[in-house]
Amino acid sequence: MIARIAVASAVFSMDKPFDYRIPDSLTLQPGQRVRVPFGASNRRTEGIVLAVMPDGAERPDGPAFKPVEAALDPEPLLSRAALHLAAFVRERYFCTFYDAVRAILPAGVWFQPRDRYTLAENAAWDDRWRNPAAQAVFQTLQTLGGAAEESALRAQFEAEALQRALQYLRQKKLVTCETSHRRRVNDKTERIAVLAVPAEEARRFAQSHQASAPVQAAAMELLATLGECACKELCYYAGATSATLRRLEKLELLTLREQEVLPPPPPAAAADPKPLLLTPQQQAAYDSLSARLQDASPGTALLYGVTGSGKTAVYLRLIDDCLTAGRGAIVLVPEIALTPQLLRQFSARYGARVAVLHSALRISERYETWKRIRSGDADVVLGTRSAVFAPVRDLGLLIVDEEQEHTYQSENAPRYHAREVAIYRGAQEHALTVLGSATPTVESMYRAVTGAFGLCRITERYNGRPLPPVEIVDMKRELREGNASIISEPLLLALRENLRLGQQSILYLNRRGTSRMLACVECGSVPMCPGCSLPLTYHHANGRLMCHICGHSEPMPARCPVCGGHLRQIGCGTQRVEEQLQNLLPGVGVLRMDADTVSAVNTHEKLFRRFREERIPILLGTQMVAKGLDFENVTLSAVLDADLSLYASDYRAAETTFSLIAQVAGRAGRGKLGGRAILQTMTPQNQTIRFAAEQNYDAFFEAELPLRQLRGCPPYRDLLTVTFHGREEERVWQAALAFRARLDGLLHSEFYRGETAAVLGPAPASVARINYHYRCRLTLSCVNTRRLRELLAFLVREFAKDRSFRGVGAFVDVNGRE
DNA sequence: AGCACGCCGACT
DNA sequence: GTCGGCGTGCTC
C-alpha cells in the first residue's frame, strides 16, 4: 500500500503531498501521524497520512518510494473532516498543510525530535584530517561508548562548533544521526534568577561596576534587594538581555533555574441555573434558529441583537435543542477572561459536559480537555479562537459570539479568521453557524441582507429599558474655551452629579499608538527604536524607553538627544487621565484598568468585583472596560476620545469605532437607575460618530456600504496582501516591483480574463521597518476566487525559489489588519 | 528550510 | 591532498 503524506519539514514553496510505501508490518489510516525519511540525507521528519492507496500508482520512471518508518499515533488523530478543514485552511490562508495541522491540534500532542549520534562501525580518525573540533567530538563519542544524544554532547561543546563538527563527521561517514520523536507535554516555564552571593557582596559588585558595566550593576542591585526574580522582569527593570544574565551566572553571582508558570485559577464554581424566560423577540429569534437547526443543511445565521438584548438566553436554548438531538456544540467568545458570567452559566447548566478551551490553560490541561471532547465526554465547548477546531463529535451548532471582535483573527502562521472557519466548518459538517453581535461587521450584515445568511433581530433590551441617551461633546470647542484637559466641562459636571448621587461611572480611553511616546518640547523630535520605524514608548514602571515590537529597551534620556531640550510625554495614557481626575476631583476613588494594572493576580474579574463591591466611583480603562460585566449602579459611561480609532489605515476603522462607542454607551443604564453616555470628540460632525451616538446601526450600515464598494473592500472585494520583507531596503522594493510586474502580466493574460482584480502598491507596510527588516506590500483587491488564490500561491512559490530574490521573504494575508 | 554535490581557489 | 566557500538542484 501507498500512503500520501504531508510532511512537517516542508516549507511553503515545496508543500505538497509526498508518497511513501507502507511496509507490511504497518497498517495506516488517514489522520495518523508517522515518522518518515525525507530528503537526500533521509533525515527523519514527522508527517500526517492524508490518504492510503493500493500499490500500482508508483512513478513509472524514477526510484521506488521510500518506506514509512513508524506510526507515531496508534489511531488517527485527525478525523476526515478535520483533514478536510486543514486543507481548507491551507488553501485559504496561504500556509503549509502542517501549519494548518498545528493550528488544529493542541500543543500536548506534539513530538520533540531528539537526535542521537552513533559512530560508524570501525570508524577511525585519519591523522591527515585537520579539524581539531571534530576530532574532539569524535573522541568524546568513543569514550561514551560509540553513541550519544545530542543533548549530552551539548553539555561539553559550544553549540555552533558542535554543529559544525557533527556535520563534518557525518560527511566523512564517521557518524550517523538518528532522529526519534518523544512526546512533549511540557508546560510553560519561566527562568528565575537567584542571587548566589550575600546581598552585601552583590551591592559591592554593583557599586564597583556602576561605570564599567551599568546594566550588570543595575541587575545585581535589583537582585540584591529581591533575592530572586523572574529573568523577564529582571531584564525589564534593569534593561538587561539574557546575555547579561548568563555573564553574571558565569561570574557565579547568580544562578538560573526553570520554574513552571502556574496558570490562573479556574473561575468560581457554578451558581444555580436560572430558568430561561424569553421575551417575544427572543422567542421569535430562537424559533427561527431552532427551525434551521433541524435542516439538513442549516447554513449560517446572523443574530443581531442590541446590547443587553439577551442573546445568551437564545444561545442556551439552541444548545439545549442541539444536545437533545444528540449533537455537540461549540461556542466561541472573543476572550474568556472577559466572560466569567457566561462561563458560570454554562457550567451551571451543562455541568461536566462543558469543556473550556483558551490560551491560559496549561498544555497538559488543554490536552486533557481536548481528549475529553474527542471521546464525547464533553459535548459543549466554550472557548476562544482556536476552539473552532475542537474535535466535537457530530457537531450540530457553532456559535460565534461578538463576531465583530478582531481577536477571532489569528496573528501568526495560519492567519485564519475563526468566524470564516466556523462558517466553512458548519457548512461542511451540516451544523448551524450562528454569528451573534450588537454591532455586526459590515461583511456579515451584508451577507444577511442579501440572503446568504439568515437574519434574526432583537431590537429591545431584555429588561425593556431604552438605550441610554448619548451626548456628543465637541472637544475643539472645549479647547477654544480654554479647557485643554481630556475631561470636558460637561463630563466633569456629569461626574460630579454622579458622585453626589452615589452612582458609578465608567470612562473609556481609546488608547492607540501615540499614547506613551515622548517628544522634545524644543525641536519636536521623537525618540525612535533603532531597529523599527516606531516611536519608543515610555514605561513608568522601569523608567525606560521600550519598543513594543522588538522589545528594545534603553534608559530614558534626561534631555533630548538631538537638541538637549526637554522631553515630554505626548498623547494621553490612562495614567495621565488618572492624574487629571485626581486634580479635578481630589480624593475621589479611581480604579484604573489597563494592561499595566491587570495581571495574573489582579485578574479582570477581581478588578471588576472590586469596582462592584467597593463601589469605587470611577472605573477608568482601555478596551477591557468596554466589555466586562453589567453593573446595576453604573449610570454614566464616557468615551474620552472617540476619534482615535477612526483614522487607522484599516478599512474597518469606522466599523470598529462604531462598535466600541456602542459598547461603551451600552455599559450605562443596565440597572433600574437608567443612565446616560457622553462622547468626547474633535469631529462632532463625523457621520460614524453621529450614528454611534444615536445607536443607529442600520443608518451606519447603509452609509458604510457604498464607501466599501468605492474602496474595493469587503464585502464587495477581498484584500489579499503580499508582504515583502528583508534586510536590504532596495532589494525588498525591487522584489515587490518585480512581483507586481509578473502578477500584472498574468492577470492581463487570456486565462485570467474573467477575474476581477486590481493591484495596488507596492507601498510601505504600516510599520515599514521591524527589527532592522524593511517591509512593503502589494494589495490585490479582488473577487476572491480559487483561481486567483492559486495564482498568488504559485507566484509566491516561484518567488521563493528564484535566487535573484534571495534575502527577501514574501507571505500572503487575507483581509488582515496591521 | 536543509542538505548533498560539484567546482574552485588557497593552503600545507 | 585537503579544506572551506559558494552556487545549484531536489525533497515521494
Side-chain angles (χ1 to χ4, degrees), chain A residues 760-778:
Chain A
L760 306 160
S766 66
V767 182
R769 195 164 65 120
I770 293 178
N771 220 344
Y772 299 99
H773 280 248
Y774 294 86
R775 21 182 73 214
C776 70
R777 45 203 273 226
L778 287 176

Side-chain angles (χ1 to χ4, degrees), chain A residues 551-623:
Chain A
H552 168 86
S553 149
E554 56 185 64
M556 160 88 176
R559 313 220 130 224
C560 170
V562 179
C563 73
H566 272 290
L567 287 170
R568 265 199 57 186
Q569 204 166 336
I570 58 171
C572 207
T574 44
Q575 284 171 16
R576 279 274 291 278
V577 179
E578 192 181 10
E579 286 162 23
Q580 291 195 9
L581 282 169
Q582 301 291 325
N583 290 336
L584 293 167
L585 303 165
V588 172
V590 176
L591 183 67
R592 186 156 66 88
M593 199 165 166
D594 55 28
D596 293 336
T597 60
V598 174
S599 63
V601 188
N602 276 317
T603 57
H604 299 97
E605 211 189 345
K606 270 195 191 163
L607 290 175
F608 279 136
R609 200 183 315 138
R610 276 191 58 200
F611 180 60
R612 183 200 301 274
E613 286 168 8
E614 298 174 23
R615 296 210 155 207
I616 298 170
I618 299 174
L619 174 64
L620 162 70
T622 53
Q623 306 286 15

Side-chain angles (χ1 to χ4, degrees), chain A residues 404-427:
Chain A
Q404 82 286 358
E405 286 295 322
H406 71 264
T407 45
Y408 286 126
Q409 187 152 34
S410 166
E411 279 147 15
N412 32 39
R415 301 190 174 213
Y416 66 93
H417 198 298
R419 184 218 305 136
E420 301 306 318
V421 176
I423 292 168
Y424 182 82
R425 185 173 177 194

Side-chain angles (χ1 to χ4, degrees), chain A residues 614-686:
Chain A
E614 298 174 23
R615 296 210 155 207
I616 298 170
I618 299 174
L619 174 64
L620 162 70
T622 53
Q623 306 286 15
M624 41 193 99
V625 304
K627 325 256 183 290
L629 318 161
D630 291 353
F631 301 102
E632 280 276 314
N633 195 40
V634 170
T635 54
L636 171 67
S637 64
V639 182
L640 298 179
D641 46 0
D643 326 79
L644 269 184
S645 63
L646 269 181
Y647 303 105
S649 59
D650 199 299
Y651 69 89
R652 280 162 288 216
E655 180 179 293
T656 322
T657 304
F658 184 92
S659 168
L660 272 169
I661 293 175
Q663 280 176 49
V664 175
R667 284 297 111 207
R670 290 258 173 154
K672 295 187 256 320
L673 300 169
R676 59 170 161 159
I678 289 179
L679 212 59
Q680 301 191 145
T681 172
M682 289 287 188
T683 53
Q685 72 293 345
N686 179 285

Side-chain angles (χ1 to χ4, degrees), chain A residues 12 91-92 94 716-722 739 742-749 751-759 779-797 812-814:
Chain A
F12 184 76
E91 198 269 333
R92 196 83 204 191
F94 300 88
Y716 298 97
R717 301 276 186 274
D718 275 340
L719 300 178
L720 304 183
T721 55
V722 191
F739 193 98
R742 183 96 174 93
L743 180 57
D744 279 338
L746 284 164
L747 282 175
H748 287 127
S749 72
F751 188 73
Y752 292 101
R753 182 172 286 275
E755 303 292 337
T756 311
V759 189
T779 304
L780 187 65
S781 165
C782 66
V783 175
N784 189 351
T785 62
R786 175 179 286 266
R787 214 143 65 117
L788 276 184
R789 290 195 298 273
E790 273 166 7
L791 169 63
L792 219 47
F794 167 76
L795 287 178
V796 172
R797 289 200 172 94
V812 185
D813 246 317
V814 185

Side-chain angles (χ1 to χ4, degrees), chain A residues 91-109:
Chain A
E91 198 269 333
R92 196 83 204 191
Y93 298 104
F94 300 88
C95 64
T96 67
F97 196 92
Y98 236 77
D99 283 333
V101 172
R102 274 185 274 262
I104 291 175
L105 291 174
V109 305

